[in-house]
Amino acid sequence: MEHESFESEETAAIMNKHFINIKVDREERPDVDRVYMTFVQALTGGGGWPMSVWLTPGELKPFYGGTYYPGVDQYGMPSFPTILRRIAQLWSTKREDLEEQASTIMGQLEEFTSSPPASPGTAAAAAAAVDPKQLLAAVRGCAKSLMKGYDPKLGGFGGPPKFPRPSEINLLLRAATEQAAIGGKGGGKVGSMAGSKALSAQQLLQASLHSLQVMAAGGMYDQLGGGFHRYSVDEYWHVPHFEKMMYDNPQLALTYLDAFRITLAAQRQQQKAAAGGSSSSGAAGTIAAADAGAALVSPAAAAGSGAGAAGSSSSSSSSLAVEDDLLMDPRVYATVVRGVLDYTRR
């Protein structure tokens, strides 16, 4: 919208003629952003930025809002100028209706935002009430959907502009752990997912580590100042959009920390196996999934000597083949985590 609408002199003329325009920095005023984001989510069923909200001039009560609007009417979606003209027309002809609507909405918002948060005990009880099978099915279904957009050549998900999407990588890491655990318990192939063959834990882990690797090596990561820029303009992760977001970087620090723990555990297992010299020749190693407590073990290690194999099958571990060249040096992840933390502290 910056180029399509906000740089348009025609759009600016409409805004200045009919509205008092206030720009809010959501990082400086997250309290304001939270209130109006709640309104937009309730009104449209979704949220995001850039976000535009129209308020009554006196009491600043919201009566309409949305996120992205194109510069011109297209694909059945009204343009930002069309929205502006329509709201200006309604305000001049049906102002009382809009003010009444705004008062009703504001009352509902105040009731919602003033509700006390759920206590830890209540939240834990609600989580315990969820059927584990349904939860697993949801995780696996989301992972399958995300993997459809995975770029196996260049890493990441979807086409340009490419965003880091830490929450999606976190889900894939969890799904990899779940898949490996199921495979280990069943002693064979992982079962079906949504009526088709499930993605293997190796595939999910490969997509996660590959994406993290190329993001850290590309221009989106600030190699000098630390921290990640908002997204890569191109599909190769070369040219960043030069804007660092505080809501992205802490999430990315946690994701890279998980990757560090995973690869460090694998490295230590390889070193231990090399020192023992028995059951791990060519093994990719144990990959400790940070958020699930299960261990993902290479088939070579799992199929080692009798005692070793028995130990693996009697624990919560499960089998996963991971190629050596997919396991990044843990120090790379640690460097990224330190860089991101240094940036967020400044």
Side-chain angles (χ1 to χ4, degrees), residues 177 257-259 261-262 288-293:
T177 304
L257 181 60
D258 282 353
R261 295 173 64 183
I262 288 171
D291 64 342

Side-chain angles (χ1 to χ4, degrees), residues 221-222 224-228 249 252-254 256-257 260 330-346:
Y221 178 68
D222 188 342
L224 298 178
F228 284 88
N249 278 280
L252 285 164
L254 292 174
Y256 275 86
L257 181 60
F260 166 75
R331 292 172 295 182
V332 175
Y333 289 106
T335 300
V336 173
V337 172
R338 284 195 295 267
V340 173
L341 292 179
D342 288 343
Y343 160 70
T344 56
R345 289 193 187 105
R346 290 198 294 269

Side-chain angles (χ1 to χ4, degrees), residues 147-158 162 210-211 235 237:
M147 286 293 288
K148 291 179 180 179
Y150 169 60
D151 185 341
K153 181 178 180 181
L154 301 174
F157 302 86
K162 282 188 171 179
H210 178 214
S211 298
E235 61 183 330
W237 304 98

Side-chain angles (χ1 to χ4, degrees), residues 218-272:
M220 194 180 74
Y221 178 68
D222 188 342
Q223 307 291 336
L224 298 178
F228 284 88
H229 294 287
R230 190 179 181 194
Y231 58 86
S232 172
V233 175
D234 62 284
E235 61 183 330
Y236 301 100
W237 304 98
H238 288 171
V239 182
H241 174 78
F242 289 97
E243 181 182 24
K244 296 180 184 178
M245 313 306 290
M246 283 299 295
Y247 60 82
D248 277 336
N249 278 280
Q251 295 181 72
L252 285 164
L254 292 174
T255 303
Y256 275 86
L257 181 60
D258 282 353
F260 166 75
R261 295 173 64 183
I262 288 171
T263 52
L264 180 64
Q267 184 184 75
R268 287 178 174 174
Q269 180 67 14
Q270 289 175 331
Q271 293 171 349
K272 181 178 179 181

Side-chain angles (χ1 to χ4, degrees), residues 97-289:
D97 292 343
L98 293 180
E99 288 178 331
E100 181 180 352
Q101 175 180 319
S103 296
T104 302
I105 294 174
M106 198 63 186
Q108 295 172 343
L109 268 180
E110 290 174 350
E111 180 180 352
F112 176 79
T113 55
S114 63
S115 299
S119 65
T122 303
V130 177
D131 185 345
K133 292 182 179 180
Q134 291 181 338
L135 182 59
L136 175 59
V139 171
R140 294 168 68 190
C142 289
K144 182 180 179 182
S145 178
L146 292 175
M147 286 293 288
K148 291 179 180 179
Y150 169 60
D151 185 341
K153 181 178 180 181
L154 301 174
F157 302 86
K162 282 188 171 179
F163 289 80
R165 302 185 182 184
S167 59
E168 296 183 1
I169 296 177
N170 291 342
L171 186 139
L172 292 179
L173 290 174
R174 174 172 179 174
T177 304
E178 298 284 359
Q179 292 289 72
I182 294 174
K185 291 177 181 178
K189 296 181 179 179
V190 179
S192 64
M193 175 166 58
S196 61
K197 185 178 179 181
L199 294 163
S200 70
Q202 179 180 356
Q203 289 174 302
L204 297 168
L205 188 62
Q206 175 182 345
S208 303
L209 294 181
H210 178 214
S211 298
L212 292 174
Q213 179 178 2
V214 294
M215 288 193 302
M220 194 180 74
Y221 178 68
D222 188 342
Q223 307 291 336
L224 298 178
F228 284 88
H229 294 287
R230 190 179 181 194
Y231 58 86
S232 172
V233 175
D234 62 284
E235 61 183 330
Y236 301 100
W237 304 98
H238 288 171
V239 182
H241 174 78
F242 289 97
E243 181 182 24
K244 296 180 184 178
M245 313 306 290
M246 283 299 295
Y247 60 82
D248 277 336
N249 278 280
Q251 295 181 72
L252 285 164
L254 292 174
T255 303
Y256 275 86
L257 181 60
D258 282 353
F260 166 75
R261 295 173 64 183
I262 288 171
T263 52
L264 180 64
Q267 184 184 75
R268 287 178 174 174
Q269 180 67 14
Q270 289 175 331
Q271 293 171 349
K272 181 178 179 181
S278 58
S279 65
S280 61
S281 177
T286 300
I287 302 177

Side-chain angles (χ1 to χ4, degrees), residues 1-2 4-21 80-81 84-85:
M1 287 188 69
E2 177 181 358
E4 296 175 351
S5 298
F6 301 146
E7 294 180 356
S8 167
E9 294 185 4
E10 177 188 356
T11 301
I14 300 172
M15 295 173 69
N16 291 330
K17 180 179 180 181
H18 298 288
F19 304 95
I20 299 172
N21 305 288
F80 193 57
L84 293 170
R85 293 190 185 97

